[in-house]
Amino acid sequence: MEKKELLYEGKAKKVYTTEDPDILIVSYKDDATAFNGLKKGTIVGKGAINNRMTNHIFGLLEKEGVPTHLVKELDDRETAVKKVEIVPLEVIIRNFSAGSFAKKMGMEEGIQFKCPTLEFSYKNDDLGDPFINSYYALALGLATQEEIDAITKYAFKVNEVMQKYFASLNIELIDFKIEFGRYHGQIILADEVSPDTCRLWDKDTHEKLDKDRFRRDMGNVEDAYQEVFRRLGIADRE
Ligand code: TMP
């Protein structure tokens, strides 16, 4: 599988066309941004970690009945994926209070909820990805009711599978953001699942092992990404 043309360059990934109109190649960068691109930096090794981690977890999710865009990992940074039309909703699931939720609700971080929450943001950088609900999404034609139902069902399933999996690595899945796409009329999981898009805390020490270390200038950013990668047990290729 060969890259043809650069289709799109985002904040953390480049996307290339291939000879197959249904297949794209994503190439993960070490670039990191926060606060809608206001803060910029590099997290050395992040591209390879996020690529390999996403593919590993998407493989687990596929086995549990969640369809994903994964086709084939090509190398450390690059993966062939199904070409989807991204649904412009960021889907955020939370198990514990943290980040914007803790701020909005005036709560400290790390309080476990009685049950997981789900929220949507409208994927729109000019507006700063504002919080919206399913009625807004329907009214604006961002997705159909059937699509929102499928997205909601899959998002909670992703949470169930990932929560259990990360617990086996002594990691608490605090919250995460996922994105879905349309592929020949079906909703499938797209984008990535990585320390960029999840809050991952060590279960015993509550040490943050995710991008909050970059967002909040906490230091040891690379070490945190490497630690998650090490616990996944995929650092050495077979
Ligand atoms: P929040 O608490 O800042 O709303 O973030 C919720 C989750 O979404 C957290 O795991 C980090 C992730 N996230 C992204 O993946 N991209 C973003 O642009 C933001 C703001 C959050």
Side-chain angles (χ1 to χ4, degrees):
M1 184 97 28
E2 299 268 310
K3 292 184 288 214
K4 259 175 72 182
E5 280 169 47
L6 179 66
L7 181 65
Y8 170 79
E9 178 160 3
K11 288 184 281 235
K13 296 190 274 305
K14 292 183 191 175
V15 181
Y16 296 89
T17 58
T18 67
E19 58 276 19
D20 184 336
D22 266 344
I23 307 287
L24 298 174
I25 292 176
V26 290
S27 181
Y28 286 71
K29 306 190 285 188
D30 284 354
D31 299 352
T33 65
F35 316 117
N36 202 12
L38 278 180
K39 183 182 173 85
K40 290 191 175 66
T42 302
I43 302 174
V44 176
K46 171 171 93 75
I49 291 173
N50 288 6
N51 179 44
R52 307 253 338 262
M53 175 167 171
T54 296
N55 295 339
H56 178 64
I57 289 178
F58 278 19
L60 299 177
L61 290 168
E62 288 271 358
K63 281 196 201 132
E64 297 290 337
V66 179
T68 78
H69 73 173
L70 175 63
V71 175
K72 190 174 190 288
E73 186 169 289
L74 301 175
D75 63 30
D76 269 2
R77 278 174 195 275
E78 294 189 349
T79 296
V81 300
K82 292 172 181 160
K83 179 178 183 176
V84 299
E85 181 192 358
I86 287 285
V87 178
L89 296 174
E90 299 200 337
V91 185
I92 297 160
I93 296 261
R94 302 176 192 270
N95 297 306
F96 288 76
S97 63
S100 67
F101 182 98
K103 202 166 172 191
K104 185 159 44 187
M105 302 304 287
M107 272 167 89
E108 57 182 304
E109 295 199 304
I111 309 291
Q112 186 162 18
F113 298 141
K114 291 187 169 45
C115 59
T117 68
L118 179 148
E119 75 207 46
F120 298 119
S121 307
Y122 177 29
K123 241 178 102 64
N124 183 318
D125 279 344
D126 294 339
L127 300 176
D129 299 339
F131 189 95
I132 66 168
N133 66 20
S134 58
Y135 292 97
Y136 281 31
L138 285 172
L140 297 174
L142 306 180
T144 65
Q145 186 64 58
E146 293 69 33
E147 289 174 333
I148 291 171
D149 291 345
I151 286 170
T152 303
K153 179 185 77 174
Y154 287 142
F156 281 119
K157 182 73 185 175
V158 169
N159 186 46
E160 206 183 291
V161 173
M162 292 214 300
Q163 220 183 1
K164 212 176 286 173
Y165 178 63
F166 282 117
S168 77
L169 310 178
N170 209 38
I171 289 172
E172 198 73 77
L173 177 62
I174 302 297
D175 59 29
F176 62 90
K177 183 271 295 178
I178 48 179
E179 296 181 20
F180 292 87
R182 303 180 179 101
Y183 185 73
H184 296 292
Q186 295 301 308
I187 288 290
I188 67 176
L189 183 62
D191 197 46
E192 66 177 285
V193 171
S194 71
D196 275 15
T197 62
C198 303
R199 285 198 174 93
L200 305 168
W201 293 7
D202 181 89
K203 255 189 190 286
D204 300 325
T205 65
H206 297 168
E207 187 188 0
K208 295 185 198 309
L209 300 173
D210 58 60
K211 193 177 169 188
D212 271 349
R213 302 198 75 87
F214 169 80
R215 296 188 187 101
R216 303 178 187 187
D217 295 319
M218 297 171 72
N220 298 325
V221 183
E222 275 93 355
D223 293 346
Y225 279 70
Q226 290 292 346
E227 177 60 18
V228 173
F229 195 44
R230 190 190 65 73
R231 291 194 200 185
L232 291 169
I234 56 171
D236 297 318
R237 284 182 182 280
E238 58 290 341

